[in-house]
Amino acid sequence: MRKILITFIAVAFVTPVFAQEEPPPFVEAAHNAVVTVLKLTPEQTEAWHVIYQIHREKEQPLQEMIAEVQGEIDALFEAGEPDPEVVGALFITRRDLGKQLLDIHLAYHEDFVLLLDDNQTRKLRFMARADDAQKFIPAFKLFELIPRR
């Protein structure tokens, strides 16, 4: 049911959302790679556009608030010896904002996964595992354990 709702929302909003501005070439290339690798349908792609825009709109104010709080923390330290209670309260505020931002990212990811069929979900999980393994690849290449192509 949630997939259907997201698809209807996508159809209603996708045109005005993406008419706002042209993405940079590297973003468009990355977008096209996701669509191609996961073999997203036009409907899934449109729904993805909508949930991505919603994600961006929710995260932007939080990112601005985090930057503002960090600026306050930096200013206190630059001014000399800051009051530990004030600094502590600001650190707690920044941490809480960071948690809210993480929650927004996780909700976006969950909404995206709901758009996918089983095969597409497996491909996405494969990409996540490949990302985890990426840091180890140079070691395997150093010892020529990955065949050259």
Side-chain angles (χ1 to χ4, degrees):
M1 182 68 178
R2 191 167 181 185
K3 284 184 185 182
I4 294 169
L5 178 61
I6 290 172
T7 302
F8 283 127
I9 292 170
V11 170
F13 293 107
V14 74
T15 303
V17 167
F18 281 97
Q20 294 175 3
E21 64 182 68
E22 196 69 25
F26 73 91
V27 172
E28 187 174 345
H31 172 275
N32 292 340
V34 170
V35 171
T36 300
V37 168
L38 296 179
K39 295 181 179 164
L40 297 178
T41 65
E43 295 79 16
Q44 287 173 313
T45 303
E46 290 174 6
W48 174 32
H49 293 170
V50 171
I51 63 175
Y52 183 73
Q53 185 64 34
I54 292 167
H55 164 254
R56 298 290 295 170
E57 290 170 0
K58 287 181 178 180
E59 78 176 355
Q60 184 178 1
L62 282 173
Q63 289 172 334
E64 291 169 2
M65 287 189 275
I66 289 169
E68 185 179 312
V69 170
Q70 185 60 50
E72 291 178 40
I73 292 169
D74 294 344
L76 286 172
F77 278 101
E78 289 171 7
E81 293 187 31
D83 180 347
E85 285 185 37
V86 173
V87 171
L90 288 170
F91 269 99
I92 291 169
T93 299
R94 193 182 77 196
R95 180 182 175 276
D96 291 344
L97 291 169
K99 172 132 179 33
Q100 290 175 39
L101 187 60
L102 179 61
D103 290 343
I104 287 170
H105 290 306
L106 292 174
Y108 161 69
H109 182 266
E110 289 170 2
D111 289 344
F112 179 75
V113 171
L114 288 174
L115 298 173
L116 305 178
D117 63 30
D118 291 342
N119 190 41
Q120 292 166 322
T121 301
R122 280 191 293 278
K123 287 179 184 179
L124 181 62
R125 287 186 181 141
F126 170 79
M127 296 305 286
R129 285 190 312 273
D131 183 54
D132 290 342
Q134 193 172 16
K135 62 187 168 204
F136 301 111
I137 290 174
F140 283 81
K141 283 185 174 184
L142 177 67
F143 292 102
E144 299 179 21
L145 298 172
I146 296 176
R148 295 183 187 199
R149 297 182 178 135

